[in-house]
Amino acid sequence: MSVGIGLRVGSLVSTLVVASNEPGTPDPIVIVRDTVLYVGSDGEVLLGGGDPPEGSEFVSSVTGFVARVGDPEGVAASDGTRYRAEDVVASAMRSLVRECEPLPTFGGRDGGTPAVVASYPSMWEADHIADLRNALNYSGLGEVALVSDAEAVCAWFESEVASKPGQLIGAYHVDDAGATVTLVRSGVSSGKSFRFAAGRGSSPTSQLSTALGAFGWLPSNLDAVVVTADGLVARDDDALRGVADALAAKFGVHVVVGPGPEQAAALGAAIVAAGFRSSTRPNKPIGLPPSYDVTEVLTAIRGPLLPPDMMADREAALAAVAGVVEVAEAPDVVDHGDVGALDGDAAGEAEKPEDVEGAGGRVVVKVLVAVILLALVAALVVFLLL
């Protein structure tokens, strides 16, 4: 069993989760703190408040910094001091990790210290992610991996809810400023997230339809939707349930509201840290090495398997296959009784030795032909049924 640590710093609530994706393991350990970073007189910081370190006192606090990541003006503390927002996020994450230290030297996915994965808002641009990465490295958290909220949430869904791998999942995230729609397939975001500001008048169903259409997908391609939230709207259970019900009625797919619901990304990040990876397809043994594709095997065979007009008709092809199998099961070869007459025990004139040799050769050739036909038939049946 391996465990992982997941982090998420939200606009109002920040979460750390210690979890495993192994069946039968204990429930995840969840630490939740208000997203307020208190700064001590000695420079130490503490997320969510509490008692300051011995010999120190809190001199200021910082809020609203997640939305300011990448802003060159930074964010102002209560005493007027300005900080880079990404540095404040990194400090908040460091404070969360410190709450479960010392980390054990075993139990991780590689047998060592458990891995730590932090999620970030899915609508962030690449430069915002790079800013946070640099801030984490500078603060001594270079080993913390990063994953988008949408990918983390979908990892939770695929690990705990989904019935089949490789699904196309819509991550619908709503906050106090609007909604973000991200499409994730097989654990990887399909591309950019779509941001819809509050008050635009578009419904959740139209927003999700817009995201699907941008990638050339139809609503029928969608397998599931996970609804999550952040900020004050995350406390409105009825509103979130209404969004989920509307999406389910429109698209006819499995729609769930993530746990928390602002904790879903942290839980998914912990599952990723524990070693979970989304499968791209179910195992379907077909008797071929996994590095080969059926079409590659067929194209490697010289000559057509069947006449072109017969290949164009599936039913005719299957009928021809049945005929070939029947011929292979009852080949037109020399009867064993006739061969036995060569010993001189049966009545009638015996064949000449050279004729015997020819008959035996014909038997071998016809058997080989039957074997080859059976191999071709098996390959054709696999090709038609896939």
Side-chain angles (χ1 to χ4, degrees):
M1 179 191 75
S2 61
V3 299
I5 300 172
L7 301 173
R8 182 181 186 272
V9 176
S11 59
L12 295 181
V13 175
S14 298
T15 311
L16 179 143
V17 176
V18 181
S20 170
N21 70 316
E22 297 286 342
T25 54
D27 292 337
I29 298 172
V30 180
I31 298 175
V32 180
R33 297 288 180 264
D34 292 334
T35 306
V36 180
L37 192 71
Y38 292 88
V39 182
S41 55
D42 58 355
E44 289 295 319
V45 296
L46 182 65
L47 184 67
D51 296 329
E54 186 176 352
S56 177
E57 61 179 354
F58 293 132
V59 296
S60 66
S61 61
V62 190
T63 61
F65 46 85
V66 177
R68 305 297 296 271
V69 169
D71 188 339
E73 294 186 3
V75 60
S78 59
D79 64 353
T81 305
R82 303 196 71 86
Y83 300 95
R84 293 200 328 159
E86 49 269 27
D87 289 338
V88 182
V89 173
S91 297
M93 290 183 177
R94 182 159 54 88
S95 178
L96 280 173
V97 172
R98 197 161 48 215
E99 291 200 47
C100 57
E101 289 179 340
L103 297 178
T105 57
F106 58 90
R109 62 192 178 199
D110 58 355
T113 300
V116 182
V117 174
S119 71
Y120 57 83
S122 302
M123 71 279 196
W124 274 10
E125 301 291 343
D127 54 348
H128 295 114
I129 302 170
D131 288 340
L132 179 58
R133 177 75 274 166
N134 291 334
L136 289 171
N137 294 343
Y138 182 79
S139 64
L141 295 178
E143 74 282 358
V144 174
L146 293 174
V147 65
S148 71
D149 282 344
E151 291 171 328
V153 166
C154 291
W156 165 79
F157 180 84
E158 289 203 281
S159 171
E160 306 299 318
V161 182
S163 58
K164 62 179 182 179
Q167 292 188 327
L168 176 62
I169 304 171
Y172 189 89
H173 179 81
V174 59
D175 54 47
D176 298 331
T180 303
V181 180
T182 310
L183 298 174
V184 177
R185 166 157 264 171
S186 300
V188 180
S189 174
S190 299
K192 63 171 288 187
S193 298
F194 293 82
R195 181 66 179 172
F196 301 91
R200 286 187 55 181
S202 58
S203 65
T205 56
S206 65
Q207 293 167 358
L208 185 53
S209 295
T210 297
L212 287 167
F215 291 103
W217 278 318
L218 299 174
S220 58
N221 298 130
L222 191 65
D223 293 303
V225 180
V226 182
V227 178
T228 58
D230 191 20
L232 294 176
V233 70
R235 275 73 175 164
D236 193 341
D237 295 337
D238 293 337
L240 296 178
R241 189 67 259 169
V243 170
D245 291 342
L247 293 173
K250 172 67 174 180
F251 296 100
V253 297
H254 189 187
V255 182
V256 299
V257 177
E262 63 269 90
Q263 296 176 11
L267 181 56
I271 291 172
V272 171
F276 174 80
R277 293 294 180 270
S278 174
S279 300
T280 57
R281 59 185 174 87
N283 292 327
K284 294 172 60 178
I286 57 174
L288 296 173
S291 60
Y292 285 85
D293 187 78
V294 177
T295 54
E296 294 175 350
V297 174
L298 289 178
T299 54
I301 300 174
R302 294 184 179 275
L305 297 177
L306 290 172
D309 56 340
M310 191 172 291
M311 284 296 295
D313 187 343
R314 179 183 176 88
E315 296 301 325
L318 290 175
V321 167
V324 172
V325 171
E326 184 178 353
V327 170
E329 289 178 347
D332 183 18
V333 297
V334 178
D335 186 82
H336 290 290
D338 295 336
V339 176
L342 297 178
D343 296 333
D345 296 335
E349 184 179 356
E351 296 182 25
K352 295 181 180 180
E354 56 267 26
D355 294 332
V356 173
E357 239 177 274
R362 285 194 296 273
V363 172
V364 173
V365 170
K366 290 187 177 183
V367 170
L368 288 176
V369 170
V371 171
I372 293 173
L373 285 175
L374 282 173
L376 294 179
V377 168
L380 178 60
V381 169
V382 170
F383 177 77
L384 291 175
L385 294 180
L386 288 180

